[in-house]
Amino acid sequence: MSQKPAVPNGSIPNSTRYGFPKEGRYSLSYWLQGVQGDPLLNHRTTAELPSSADIVIIGSGLSGTLIANHCLKAFPGKSIIILEAREFCSGATGRNAGHCKPDQWRGFSAYEAAFGTEQALKILENEQATWTALVEYIRQNNVDCDLWVGDTLDVPVTPEVAAAAKTNFERFKAAGGEVGHIKVTHDPVEARKISHIKSAQACYAWSASTLYPWKLTAHIMRENLSKGANLQTRTKAIKIIETPDSNPESWRWIVQTPRGPIKTNQVIHATNAYSSALEPSLRGLIYPSPHMCNRIKPPVEFEDPNPAGLTNSYGVLLPEGGLFSINPRSTREGSVLFGGSNPGQAAFERWVNEPGYPERGVDDGIEVFGAVTGAVKDFAEGAIEGWKAEFAVDGWSGIIGRSVDNVPWIGELPDLPGQWVCAGHNGHGMARIFTAAPGLVKLMAGRPWAETQLPDVYQITPSRVNNLKRARDSGDTSRL
């Protein structure tokens, strides 16, 4: 999935759009197709579900898996269970477009308007730190996940979009943002030469990565299992209740599942889009938002590691805040993955939000949606130099965890001691989780927020929760 970098427009989803992961058939992403048969998909460390554990982590995507990894280091000897409602890493991490692209400037103006200059700069600095941490982990641990490191290009395709991008970039620079590593051209001729996008009006380039996110997460989970973690797939957490025992030395929470209850003192919500289905206090604050990804398989004459005209990863900036996120696979297989909020996304969102169909908000069984897939095909046929209109397009859906203030929620839930959240990544989890997960574990260990080095606006506080709920209930969308 890929972030549309804008402050929410105030449209709050219907309160019924809070569901659990879809059961039964769901679409197979490009990443999940490539690992069918891997025993980790349906792994259960123990045949029986343990009746208790020191820490229960709900969700086995990158957040839950990396949190478990840091918990094993921070709390040696503690028992840790990771619950997954379906197959291992079958949610957003296993369904995104395979990009770890740190936002270096593009979201600055929106973040500044919402949170002020200092926090806007910190948000973008954190994305750079996250990318650095992710790449270092992969390289130091020799993770087999098709890591590619190179220039990612942001390419505005109309004069108006280019002008807005330039204004935003200059504002970021004037505010003290680091731009020395960003290569910029505002010459359309030069931009087209660099990007191979026929309508390019400018080009911004900086370092980013593409990778196989499921394989990265699987590597970390296998490390967790070797150190004693217990993974239980196809075990849905359906409710969390407080234990009736008032003894302060007894277990604090009971996580209810169809396979039986688990008593614990620490619960970590790492389900992102589904957080509000399990924890009512998050409703209206974090909500699911379906999204589409598409894969193009170019014809035989373009089957190089990087197909003709695409030697970088891309963010193609479109009118009205639209975006194509493009990931040419760095393997001989030759696929090109498209994510982002393309011109067909508005029609998709209207369909999702049609009254009477709340289940669409958590439906990741959609393989093709005409408007979205058509926009990808039209762009590939007409906008990329060196491509012909002779290729197949397939797709899959995934569920983004949106937050009403467009930034993650990290920390302990107010009035629920021992319940922790790492969610609301707004489609940009790959550029946030590798710092958010260890940051959360530091908080669990009693360390102050400052030691997480995360932006202050990511922290869960009673005032943040109450202010947003008041804004929601009053209809004051200017504060969302």
Side-chain angles (χ1 to χ4, degrees), residues 3 63 111 269-276 282 285-288 399-410 421-429 432-433 436 457-458 460 464:
Q3 179 195 38
S63 285
Y111 291 132
H269 298 264
T271 58
N272 203 21
Y274 306 109
S275 301
S276 52
L282 292 172
L285 304 178
I286 298 175
Y287 60 94
I399 313 299
I400 289 175
R402 297 284 190 192
S403 65
V404 293
D405 52 1
N406 207 38
V407 290
W409 287 66
I410 313 294
V421 176
C422 181
H425 296 296
N426 292 279
H428 228 216
R432 289 174 170 162
I433 292 168
V457 293
Y458 290 9
I460 297 176
R464 182 183 180 192

Side-chain angles (χ1 to χ4, degrees), residues 233-254:
T233 63
R234 300 194 178 278
T235 306
K236 181 191 295 183
I238 53 178
K239 193 173 184 181
I240 300 171
I241 61 173
E242 195 168 3
T243 56
D245 191 343
S246 60
N247 183 348
E249 296 183 0
S250 67
W251 301 105
R252 179 179 290 160
W253 301 105
I254 299 174

Side-chain angles (χ1 to χ4, degrees), residues 409-410 412 414 456 459-466:
W409 287 66
I410 313 294
E412 190 173 32
D456 294 338
Q459 183 178 16
I460 297 176
T461 64
S463 60
R464 182 183 180 192
V465 172
N466 293 334

Side-chain angles (χ1 to χ4, degrees), residues 103-110 112 121 124 154 156 161-186 202-206 317:
D103 185 356
Q104 299 290 275
W105 61 276
R106 195 194 322 142
F108 177 73
S109 293
E112 184 181 41
L121 291 172
L124 303 186
D154 266 12
V161 174
K166 184 178 181 180
T167 298
N168 189 15
F169 182 82
E170 294 299 331
R171 174 68 193 123
F172 171 66
K173 181 179 178 180
E178 176 58 49
V179 299
H181 62 295
I182 304 176
K183 293 169 281 188
V184 183
T185 178
H186 297 294
C203 185
Y204 301 77
W206 65 94
L317 311 185

Side-chain angles (χ1 to χ4, degrees), residues 150-460:
D151 277 350
T152 189
L153 310 181
D154 266 12
V155 182
V157 294
T158 70
E160 295 77 14
V161 174
K166 184 178 181 180
T167 298
N168 189 15
F169 182 82
E170 294 299 331
R171 174 68 193 123
F172 171 66
K173 181 179 178 180
E178 176 58 49
V179 299
H181 62 295
I182 304 176
K183 293 169 281 188
V184 183
T185 178
H186 297 294
D187 178 3
V189 174
E190 183 67 16
R192 291 164 196 161
K193 181 179 178 181
I194 295 169
S195 69
H196 303 283
I197 303 296
K198 296 176 183 178
S199 55
Q201 301 296 308
C203 185
Y204 301 77
W206 65 94
S207 293
S209 290
T210 62
L211 66 151
Y212 203 123
W214 192 95
K215 289 184 177 180
L216 168 61
T217 309
H219 179 98
I220 301 170
M221 182 55 78
R222 290 190 177 101
E223 179 184 337
N224 295 344
L225 297 176
S226 73
K227 294 180 178 179
N230 187 322
L231 171 62
Q232 295 287 326
T233 63
R234 300 194 178 278
T235 306
K236 181 191 295 183
I238 53 178
K239 193 173 184 181
I240 300 171
I241 61 173
E242 195 168 3
T243 56
D245 191 343
S246 60
N247 183 348
E249 296 183 0
S250 67
W251 301 105
R252 179 179 290 160
W253 301 105
I254 299 174
V255 180
Q256 296 181 336
T257 82
R259 297 174 60 208
I262 307 174
K263 296 179 180 180
T264 186
N265 282 323
Q266 306 279 348
V267 179
I268 302 171
H269 298 264
T271 58
N272 203 21
Y274 306 109
S275 301
S276 52
L278 192 58
E279 176 41 54
S281 67
L282 292 172
R283 295 183 182 178
L285 304 178
I286 298 175
Y287 60 94
S289 178
H291 224 66
M292 296 292 300
C293 281
N294 289 99
R295 178 186 77 115
I296 284 181
K297 184 67 167 65
V300 173
E301 58 266 35
F302 295 126
E303 286 187 355
D304 273 330
N306 293 301
L310 296 183
T311 56
N312 305 87
S313 74
Y314 290 78
V316 180
L317 311 185
L318 308 170
E320 299 179 358
L323 171 76
F324 281 112
S325 172
I326 306 178
N327 167 11
R329 294 284 289 127
S330 59
T331 63
R332 296 294 304 179
E333 184 266 341
S335 289
V336 182
L337 308 186
F338 283 73
S341 298
N342 79 29
Q345 184 67 23
F348 182 58
E349 291 178 358
R350 287 195 296 272
W351 177 80
V352 166
N353 288 306
E354 283 183 359
Y357 300 95
E359 70 279 359
R360 291 177 181 173
V362 290
D363 186 358
D364 55 12
I366 306 160
E367 296 177 345
V368 175
F369 189 83
V372 174
T373 304
V376 170
K377 195 169 188 295
D378 289 346
F379 182 83
E381 289 178 353
I384 301 173
E385 293 178 356
W387 274 28
K388 299 177 182 178
E390 300 175 9
F391 41 74
V393 182
D394 60 20
W396 63 92
S397 51
I399 313 299
I400 289 175
R402 297 284 190 192
S403 65
V404 293
D405 52 1
N406 207 38
V407 290
W409 287 66
I410 313 294
E412 190 173 32
L413 286 169
D415 302 320
L416 296 172
Q419 289 204 42
W420 305 85
V421 176
C422 181
H425 296 296
N426 292 279
H428 228 216
M430 296 301 293
R432 289 174 170 162
I433 292 168
F434 249 77
T435 54
L440 180 73
V441 176
K442 288 178 181 177
L443 297 176
M444 293 175 62
R447 310 265 285 277
W449 178 265
E451 289 193 27
T452 70
Q453 297 185 341
L454 295 170
D456 294 338
V457 293
Y458 290 9
Q459 183 178 16
I460 297 176

Side-chain angles (χ1 to χ4, degrees), residues 6-31:
V7 172
N9 62 10
S11 59
I12 301 172
N14 187 294
S15 61
T16 60
R17 199 216 270 186
Y18 300 103
F20 291 102
K22 180 184 176 182
E23 297 185 34
R25 182 184 177 278
Y26 46 89
S27 63
L28 279 181
S29 69
Y30 171 80
W31 313 116

